[in-house]
Amino acid sequence: MLTVYGNRTSGNCYKLQLLLDQLDRPYAWVDVDSANSETQTEAFLARNANGKVPLLELDDGRRLAESNAIACFLAEGTWMWPGDAWERAQTLQWLFFEQYSHEPYIAVARFIERFLPAHHARHADLPRLVTGGKKALAVMESHLAGRSFFVGERYGVADIALYAYTHCAREGGFDLSSYPAVNAWLDRVAAQPGHTSMRQHA
């Protein structure tokens, strides 16, 4: 049995929920409340010294951190992972884009808007975050124009990685009405067999 340590409200953790559900693989989920510093306890840091979720633990005790690395590992040998070397490289390209150019803006804006009080100093960061998020959405819009999915016209890991925070971007103050190709893609992802919604509560 695979064990995932995660936070239900996190898009990075949702990637693994969605991937495992669609692969129909059994797993145990251990809720970790990172907002209340449960990732900083001695017990959790012994599992992941970086003090972050998600974290995958195998039956033999091996552990793997970082959402997109875990997704690649879980997808290996399945229909979710391309057999072609060029398409694998393209998948990795989008996973790196998601973590470097997408998540730091869209996910962080969502966190501030949804989880921090209105008077919190980090609200001052929102204009910069929205600008960066819009740039990422524009890149996605351009790529998806005339395409159904991100890589090889087949649903896969790249789509899951980008869907996780894009589908809840409105919670971060992003108006998606200007991105018709992104919206159509969101609908296609949600219509995939085995799709499950983000479980916002344990």
Side-chain angles (χ1 to χ4, degrees):
M1 176 73 73
L2 301 169
T3 301
V4 177
Y5 295 84
N7 184 315
R8 293 291 188 186
T9 65
S10 162
N12 283 325
C13 297
Y14 174 53
K15 295 172 191 176
L16 307 188
Q17 173 206 307
L18 181 55
L19 176 59
L20 286 165
D21 288 349
Q22 291 189 300
L23 292 176
D24 198 25
R25 292 191 64 177
Y27 63 98
W29 183 283
V30 178
D31 281 299
V32 181
D33 189 352
S34 49
N36 286 313
S37 301
E38 289 185 5
T39 55
Q40 303 306 307
T41 64
E42 184 177 344
F44 188 83
L45 290 171
R47 289 187 166 90
N48 180 12
N50 199 28
K52 293 183 178 180
V53 288
L55 178 70
L56 177 71
E57 187 171 73
L58 307 185
D59 281 343
D60 60 12
R62 287 181 295 170
R63 302 183 185 99
L64 186 63
E66 301 299 331
S67 62
N68 288 346
I70 299 169
C72 291
F73 171 75
L74 294 173
E76 181 73 30
T78 76
W79 59 273
M80 286 277 198
W81 189 246
D84 176 75
W86 177 249
E87 290 186 356
R88 288 195 300 272
Q90 288 183 307
T91 298
L92 292 172
Q93 168 190 291
W94 287 111
L95 297 185
F96 297 144
F97 167 84
E98 188 269 338
Q99 284 289 283
Y100 188 76
S101 300
H102 180 284
E103 192 266 2
Y105 301 103
I106 293 176
V108 175
R110 173 181 178 258
F111 173 78
I112 292 170
E113 288 276 29
R114 181 171 174 186
F115 298 105
L116 296 182
H119 62 272
H120 198 285
R122 290 194 68 184
H123 280 268
D125 294 334
L126 285 172
R128 175 184 62 83
L129 295 172
V130 169
T131 296
K134 286 180 176 179
K135 181 177 179 181
L137 290 167
V139 171
M140 294 169 64
E141 179 72 16
S142 176
H143 183 74
L144 287 167
R147 290 184 175 90
S148 296
F149 299 105
F150 273 91
V151 177
E153 282 304 291
R154 292 185 302 277
Y155 176 68
V157 172
D159 299 288
I160 286 178
L162 284 160
Y163 179 82
Y165 278 113
T166 304
H167 90 288
C168 55
R170 291 179 182 85
E171 295 179 4
F174 293 93
D175 179 3
L176 298 183
S177 63
S178 299
Y179 308 98
V182 169
N183 277 299
W185 165 78
L186 288 172
D187 290 341
R188 284 191 291 274
V189 172
Q192 294 303 300
H195 178 92
T196 53
S197 299
M198 180 186 280
R199 297 170 190 144
Q200 305 253 352
H201 302 285

